[in-house]
Amino acid sequence: MELRQLSYFVTVAEELHFGRAAERLHIVQSAVSQQVRRLERELGAELFDRSPRHVRLTAAGERLLPEAREVLAAAERARAAVRGRTTLRLGTSAGLGEHLDRVLGAFAEIAPGVAAELVSAPTRDRLAQVVDGRLDAAFVRSPEPAPGLRFLPLWEDPLLVAVPATHPLAGQDAIALSELAALPLALTARRNNPALVDLVVGACHTAGFEPIPGPVGGSLQNTLAAIGLGSLWTVVYAAHARLLHSPRVAFRPVRAPGLALPTALAVRAASMPATLEPLLKACEASMARDASMVCATSMVGDASTVCASSTAGDASPVTHGGPTSPRATSNPVSSHHTPGP
């Protein structure tokens, strides 16, 4: 039995699709199938129920999954021990922007002897890696309850509207969603980021219209380029927007009550790694800095952010609590975006 085989098995078990597992592993699908078959022959049991319509874990596969995750986590701990340096393994997502910069800066000051290893992956994968110990913690937005995990509330991530800089709406200080009814909405597919899509589409319904479907998928850079060339709109996390240089795109806050998603830190419910304490202190330091800043984000192209007032959401304490849910907020500040996961 090889670690590679267990890694492929776990990835297929998380995706329940050999093609998507191969994409995550950056190898061809036939190699994944071959190694999983070899593992099944060695164990003398079918691990997956394969059919043209679905892939499901068998009873043997369900029993193996937690054990395989534990073996992979133990292997990673062994590598870390040989390296002789304490490492924080932290799951991140696209669009964390200034929040991530501030947290890592504070973490470096609080724990200068601890290296930070950042892992970017879809939400489901990040959470699975926290459960099995491959990650010490992970940033997630609008988390749902999950076995083996607890979520420590951090900050609110307000969303800005991105529209063409030449559009009349770009001249306003804030935009009401109803004013966007005639423009197509460029947003990621719901499977990639259900919390974001549900929040935006639901807010459009509340505003009295069904958003016109625009391009789906692609990178944020390509989406902003398309917005700059035509009549489209999307949403961007404010903390990320402040790092973008898009002269043909204007970023505007949504008029009250606004749009935001809560961000939490996912950790294992059973045990807390030693590296987690300095990370929590770094998050607290970052949020304290947020609370001392006031940002009414008003950006057209590469215009600078104007600081004006702080947000109660970003100043919330780090406490051991349950998952939070999407909610509207009038706060137009700090956040992260991706039209992706």
Side-chain angles (χ1 to χ4, degrees):
M1 185 184 305
E2 300 178 9
L3 289 176
R4 176 180 59 172
Q5 294 171 338
L6 292 178
S7 176
Y8 291 3
F9 162 71
V10 169
T11 305
V12 176
E14 291 173 353
E15 294 292 339
L16 294 180
H17 191 284
F18 279 84
R20 289 196 296 270
E23 290 177 4
R24 272 183 54 189
L25 294 165
H26 304 293
I27 59 175
V28 296
Q29 181 174 335
S30 59
V32 177
S33 300
Q34 183 182 57
Q35 292 300 323
V36 171
R37 284 294 189 191
R38 287 180 178 175
L39 181 61
E40 289 177 322
R41 286 197 297 270
E42 182 171 344
L43 295 175
E46 294 284 331
L47 302 175
F48 293 101
D49 174 15
R50 302 166 174 85
S51 80
R53 292 188 176 184
H54 68 259
V55 174
R56 295 176 182 170
L57 282 168
T58 62
E62 290 178 350
R63 291 192 296 270
L64 176 62
L65 182 57
E67 302 298 332
R69 284 173 168 164
E70 185 59 37
V71 169
L72 293 173
E76 181 57 37
R77 290 193 296 270
R79 294 188 190 100
V82 171
R83 288 194 295 264
R85 186 180 184 189
T86 304
T87 300
L88 168 71
R89 294 160 297 171
L90 180 62
T92 68
S93 64
L96 285 170
E98 293 179 339
H99 283 309
L100 183 59
D101 290 341
R102 288 197 294 269
V103 169
L104 293 179
F107 182 80
E109 294 179 0
I110 295 170
V114 180
E117 178 184 339
L118 304 183
V119 178
S120 180
T123 301
R124 182 173 58 182
D125 300 341
R126 294 199 303 276
L127 295 181
Q129 291 180 47
V130 173
V131 170
D132 64 30
R134 283 177 287 167
L135 289 178
D136 297 313
F139 291 111
V140 291
R141 297 189 184 96
S142 297
E144 302 258 342
L149 292 171
R150 63 175 161 173
F151 299 96
L152 313 182
L154 296 177
W155 53 71
E156 291 286 329
D157 277 333
L159 292 158
L160 304 181
V161 171
V163 297
T166 56
H167 195 280
L169 291 175
Q172 301 180 179
D173 292 335
I175 296 175
L177 286 181
S178 59
E179 297 176 298
L180 299 165
L183 297 179
L185 170 61
L187 202 59
T188 186
R190 186 182 182 278
R191 66 178 179 275
N192 296 330
N193 197 335
L196 175 69
V197 173
D198 290 349
L199 177 67
V200 174
V201 174
C204 291
H205 292 166
T206 301
F209 71 99
E210 180 70 34
I212 302 171
V216 176
S219 67
L220 175 58
Q221 181 179 359
N222 290 343
T223 298
L224 294 178
I227 290 173
L229 293 173
S231 296
L232 294 170
W233 71 283
T234 191
V235 291
V236 180
Y237 292 104
H240 194 191
R242 289 195 288 274
L243 303 180
L244 298 173
H245 177 74
S246 302
R248 291 197 297 263
V249 178
F251 301 95
R252 292 288 178 268
V254 180
R255 285 184 184 165
L259 294 174
L261 287 174
T263 292
L265 192 68
V267 300
R268 294 182 73 178
S271 61
M272 302 273 276
T275 52
L276 195 57
E277 183 177 353
L279 176 61
L280 293 178
K281 290 181 179 178
C283 290
E284 290 174 341
S286 173
M287 289 186 291
R289 180 174 176 180
D290 283 345
S292 67
M293 296 171 61
V294 183
C295 278
T297 304
S298 179
M299 299 170 54
V300 179
D302 60 357
S304 60
T305 301
V306 179
C307 288
S309 93
S310 83
T311 68
D314 280 357
S316 58
V318 178
T319 57
H320 294 185
T324 49
S325 60
R327 69 178 181 86
T329 176
S330 57
N331 174 8
V333 189
S334 304
S335 172
H336 356 307
H337 170 73
T338 177

